[in-house]
Amino acid sequence: MIVVTGATGSIGRALIQRLTSSGGHDVRAVVRRPAAHLGCDHALGDFDEPGTIGRLLSPGDRLFLNSSLWPGFTGAHRAVIDLAARAGVAQVVTVSVRGAAPGAKLGGGMHGEVDAHLRASGVPWSILQPTGFMQNLPREVRDGRFYGSYGPGPVNYIDTRDIAEVAAALLTRPVGADGDHVLTGPESLSHHRIAELISAVLGRPVRYVDLPVPEMTAHLERQGLTQPLAGDLAALMAETGDGRWATTTTTVEDLAGRPPRTLSTFLSEHAHAFDTA
């Protein structure tokens, strides 16, 4: 059985679609409430109560471990890993983030703690370390603008469907050596260039506004974020834009057997999402 947490998110839904369309795999989606149209068996489980997920695991299962971030993320994911080890699962594939490490800012630090716990768990593991999600871009554009503190340097984005395809490959092949897998899109672009591509697809101008970290912090606070979250997020943008997310890898093609989707392809397929933003 392949047990998929985060089943209603963008990665989880794409993963389930990939697994069910290829056939021959028993798949169970873990959901917080009854969910229709997932295309597979589902069961109720909640990271706020890790035992509800642990009771769904059996010896030999393959577990896809993923959820959005929230204050209890680290403790809940570590607890589920412990329950997976106790249940005798054959493999855990989890979604982290590029550059994750204990003590890093925001999600990078939270994922880093979970990743370290998984590596020490004794369960065979694969950790996916993607760059930023293309699917997050539409919600950032408002009134023809989007803001950041990335500077002029190139930053990488990946389509979440490519993350799902890598996860599917790892969850359906024989369990191999443990490993970290850095996942990127095929090209890294400046945010000014990204704005140009969005403009071309939408047929109207979209402008990227680059702000110094203090001004971006104030902008985020006006959007409703509180300190220190706003300051940390603005600082993280500046760090991301310093070149550390500019390099690309061949991991998606190596594991999924096809090149990752380009940003232009994503934008052409998701122009409607920007139109409603």
Side-chain angles (χ1 to χ4, degrees):
M1 179 73 71
I2 299 174
V3 179
V4 178
T5 63
T8 59
S10 60
I11 300 174
R13 283 186 180 275
L15 172 59
I16 289 170
Q17 183 178 21
R18 179 71 177 80
L19 293 171
T20 55
S21 64
S22 61
H25 307 297
D26 293 325
V27 182
R28 174 174 293 156
V30 180
V31 294
R32 296 180 63 184
R33 56 187 63 86
H37 311 303
L38 280 176
C40 69
D41 174 48
H42 67 268
L44 299 182
D46 193 329
F47 277 102
D48 283 330
E49 299 180 53
T52 62
I53 299 174
R55 71 188 181 199
L56 303 175
L57 303 175
S58 302
D61 283 348
R62 316 279 280 267
L63 173 63
F64 180 69
L65 183 64
N66 184 42
S67 78
S68 57
L69 297 171
W70 85 102
F73 174 92
T74 301
H77 278 241
R78 288 190 298 202
V80 171
I81 290 168
D82 292 341
L83 291 167
R86 198 173 307 158
V89 302
Q91 178 193 32
V92 173
V93 175
T94 189
V95 178
S96 180
V97 66
R98 187 173 190 173
K105 289 183 175 64
L106 302 177
M110 298 167 76
H111 279 297
E113 292 183 28
V114 172
D115 296 349
H117 193 77
L118 178 57
R119 294 185 187 105
S121 68
V123 181
W125 54 268
S126 291
I127 297 173
L128 309 185
Q129 300 174 323
T131 53
F133 297 169
M134 294 179 187
Q135 277 75 2
N136 290 340
L137 290 172
R139 72 189 65 165
E140 295 181 13
V141 177
R142 293 291 184 273
D143 299 322
R145 297 180 180 87
F146 65 111
Y147 297 80
S149 291
Y150 299 99
V155 174
N156 194 270
Y157 286 90
I158 186 171
D159 192 312
T160 56
R161 293 172 294 180
D162 293 325
I163 302 171
E165 291 195 23
V166 169
L170 291 169
L171 289 162
T172 56
R173 71 182 189 182
V175 177
D178 299 335
D180 298 320
H181 305 281
V182 177
L183 309 182
T184 72
E187 57 189 349
S188 297
L189 304 167
S190 73
H191 280 76
H192 292 292
R193 177 57 180 157
I194 291 171
E196 291 176 355
L197 294 175
I198 296 173
S199 300
V201 167
L202 298 186
R204 63 175 186 264
V206 170
R207 185 165 65 95
Y208 169 66
V209 181
D210 196 72
L211 298 175
V213 169
E215 292 182 26
M216 187 64 195
T217 300
H219 172 78
L220 292 170
E221 289 178 318
R222 288 192 295 271
Q223 303 305 307
L225 272 66
T226 59
Q227 281 284 15
L229 177 59
D232 285 348
L233 181 55
L236 183 60
M237 291 177 181
E239 291 180 4
T240 303
D242 70 1
R244 68 188 68 188
W245 277 25
T247 57
T248 60
T249 70
T250 62
T251 309
V252 171
E253 186 166 10
D254 293 343
L255 292 176
R258 50 168 299 279
R261 294 167 175 85
T262 65
L263 181 60
S264 294
T265 297
F266 169 81
L267 293 174
S268 65
E269 294 175 349
H270 293 80
H272 63 280
F274 288 91
D275 287 337
T276 58

